[in-house]
Amino acid sequence: MKTLSICEPLISNYPQHAFYLSIISDNKDCHPWIFSNYTNLFLSDWKNDEVFLDFYVQTPEHHFNPWFKDSQRIHRDLIIGSIPNIVSFIKNQIDLGYYVWTHVDEYFIPATPSYQTRRFAHAILIYGYDDINEKFQVAGFFKLRSYSHTTISYENLKTAFENCIIYDDYLNYTHLLKINPEYHNGSIYQFDITYFTECINNYYTSFNETKNFKSFYTPKLYSDRTFGIDIYNKLIAYLELMIVKKRTIDRRVLFTLKEHKKFMNKKINYIEHEGHYQFPTLFKDNYVQIEQETTIALNQFLKYSITHVEENITKLIERLSSIYDLEKESLELLITKFNKQGIL
């Protein structure tokens, strides 16, 4: 039996954030990197009419993340073709200190909403095993699709992995994540207040962040993305289409908005606690209110999902408009102070 340490992630809207952050959120050495990131948001309108909102941050898949230097990515064809026993393979990786992020078919996983009802490939993070009860300890989005923990039998996991239906390339990969205690020659990543001011300004101006990563992206190919504070107007337009039954929106959009404000308040507290900067009191008070308002907005959307009463969407639109005004005003207050102090 072996269990790798895991904690409550600072952000838990999607696996690509929750899994990494559940490994490093409690590690104070990692905090300068965590709180230097996750400032901007982007909203995508995909061809299948799906609206997707997420933090804009490069994951270890795309660049050098200092805390997962020794991680690996393995294609499922290599695992199935070369590893005779997936259960033993996973146990061996955990013994070596690797967290195993893989994709399985939830049809075979009892703890999920899709169990024996529909085929659905989804991500899980395996961080421990118990040979006595023949079960893996896993984290993921199980009941009610909230981030949580459960156990999966060796046999169920084997079946769910081997029979996973692949409908997108990213599902092919198993990630072996190992925390790297050192950043660069024993040095720890350093928080930079000038970089923070740049990120805040990018969020306020709705700057297309792909322009900062031209070695990976051609920015004009991402014209479907709306960045920063402009997402409010786009989201309001989508909600108006919901009223006339021309659009549907996943509740995760509102959950991600709430997660962003929750994390911004944590970021503000971290920056002040570490002595990097002292924010205006009004700015801090406003962001506490903004987080509260986005929580109410999420609840309004959930209420509509149950009742289908259009008044809930109308009230939600009004609330999002008010949140936009308050956040815009708050950011302008902060950016004005940055400019006066010469750090932006």
Side-chain angles (χ1 to χ4, degrees):
M1 178 175 182
K2 182 166 183 176
T3 301
L4 301 177
S5 62
I6 200 165
C7 64
E8 189 68 23
L10 286 166
I11 296 170
S12 61
N13 62 325
Y14 288 108
Q16 63 266 30
H17 308 308
F19 288 174
Y20 296 120
L21 291 174
S22 65
I23 299 171
I24 65 175
S25 286
D26 274 357
N27 188 323
K28 290 185 178 180
D29 287 347
C30 301
H31 285 180
W33 183 86
I34 296 172
F35 288 109
S36 292
N37 289 282
Y38 302 98
T39 299
N40 213 339
L41 292 170
F42 74 95
L43 183 70
S44 286
D45 186 6
W46 290 342
K47 292 180 180 179
N48 60 357
D49 286 337
E50 183 178 355
V51 178
F52 179 76
L53 176 66
D54 199 8
F55 292 83
Y56 190 82
V57 60
Q58 299 304 295
T59 69
E61 281 298 294
H62 298 98
H63 85 314
F64 177 68
N65 179 318
W67 305 113
F68 297 99
K69 179 181 177 182
D70 299 322
S71 297
Q72 303 174 50
R73 189 176 81 155
I74 306 174
H75 198 282
R76 66 181 289 111
D77 288 349
L78 178 61
I79 295 175
I80 291 174
S82 306
I83 298 171
N85 189 323
I86 183 65
V87 171
S88 295
F89 171 75
I90 293 172
K91 288 167 55 181
N92 288 339
Q93 299 312 307
I94 292 172
D95 285 338
L96 292 171
Y98 286 101
Y99 300 77
V100 181
W101 170 3
T102 193
H103 299 89
V104 296
D105 194 325
E106 289 190 350
Y107 182 86
F108 304 100
I109 305 296
T112 67
S114 303
Y115 179 55
Q116 293 187 342
T117 60
R118 67 177 180 130
R119 307 299 294 273
F120 182 62
H122 210 197
I124 59 170
L125 180 70
I126 310 168
Y127 60 92
Y129 66 87
D130 175 3
D131 276 339
I132 295 176
N133 295 299
E134 296 190 344
K135 289 185 177 181
F136 286 112
Q137 296 167 295
V138 298
F141 294 79
F142 304 116
K143 292 180 179 178
L144 303 179
R145 289 300 181 208
S146 58
Y147 186 69
S148 56
H149 304 266
T150 190
T151 59
I152 299 174
S153 72
Y154 292 170
E155 189 59 34
N156 280 344
L157 188 133
K158 179 177 182 295
T159 302
F161 177 82
E162 292 177 349
N163 293 279
C164 190
I165 296 176
I166 305 302
Y167 59 83
D168 203 318
D169 185 60
Y170 75 91
L171 296 168
N172 276 311
Y173 294 100
T174 292
H175 309 261
L176 307 180
L177 308 176
K178 179 184 285 188
I179 190 167
N180 174 33
E182 297 180 346
Y183 169 52
H184 179 70
N185 296 329
S187 300
I188 296 174
Y189 183 97
Q190 310 241 337
F191 183 89
D192 182 354
I193 190 62
T194 58
Y195 176 62
F196 170 74
T197 63
E198 178 186 332
C199 291
I200 285 290
N201 194 58
N202 285 349
Y203 177 72
Y204 171 72
T205 59
S206 299
F207 176 73
N208 183 345
E209 292 276 10
T210 60
K211 293 179 180 179
N212 285 332
F213 298 94
K214 289 184 178 179
S215 59
F216 302 112
Y217 305 108
T218 301
K220 68 180 181 180
L221 299 180
Y222 292 83
S223 59
D224 66 313
R225 293 186 175 185
T226 300
F227 287 85
I229 201 167
D230 281 355
I231 66 167
Y232 285 101
N233 295 327
K234 197 83 170 181
L235 184 54
I236 287 170
Y238 292 148
L239 289 168
E240 289 172 343
L241 288 173
M242 278 188 68
I243 294 177
V244 294
K245 314 300 182 186
K246 291 185 178 180
R247 168 73 71 172
T248 59
I249 296 178
D250 192 303
R251 66 180 177 86
R252 290 175 293 182
V253 171
L254 276 300
F255 181 77
T256 296
L257 189 66
K258 181 186 79 71
E259 283 283 281
H260 180 257
K261 308 317 168 191
K262 181 183 76 173
F263 186 73
M264 283 297 293
N265 278 312
K266 289 182 181 295
K267 189 193 293 275
I268 291 166
N269 291 336
Y270 169 81
I271 291 171
E272 286 202 336
H273 182 268
E274 295 299 313
H276 296 298
Y277 191 75
Q278 187 66 40
F279 294 93
T281 300
L282 179 58
F283 173 81
K284 292 187 290 185
D285 291 343
N286 283 353
Y287 253 90
V288 170
Q289 182 181 346
I290 290 167
E291 180 184 346
Q292 293 169 346
E293 289 295 309
T294 54
T295 301
I296 296 171
L298 171 61
N299 290 333
Q300 285 178 319
F301 187 82
L302 294 175
K303 186 175 181 180
Y304 170 79
S305 300
I306 297 171
T307 65
H308 299 289
V309 175
E310 291 180 3
E311 183 183 8
N312 291 311
I313 293 296
T314 302
K315 289 181 178 179
L316 174 57
I317 290 172
E318 293 172 355
R319 188 173 301 279
L320 288 177
S321 180
S322 297
I323 295 171
Y324 168 78
D325 290 339
L326 180 58
E327 188 165 15
K328 186 171 183 289
E329 175 187 316
S330 303
L331 292 169
E332 287 170 352
L333 169 68
L334 184 61
I335 290 171
T336 297
K337 185 178 181 183
F338 285 159
N339 283 323
K340 286 181 178 180
Q341 295 171 325
I343 57 175
L344 178 62

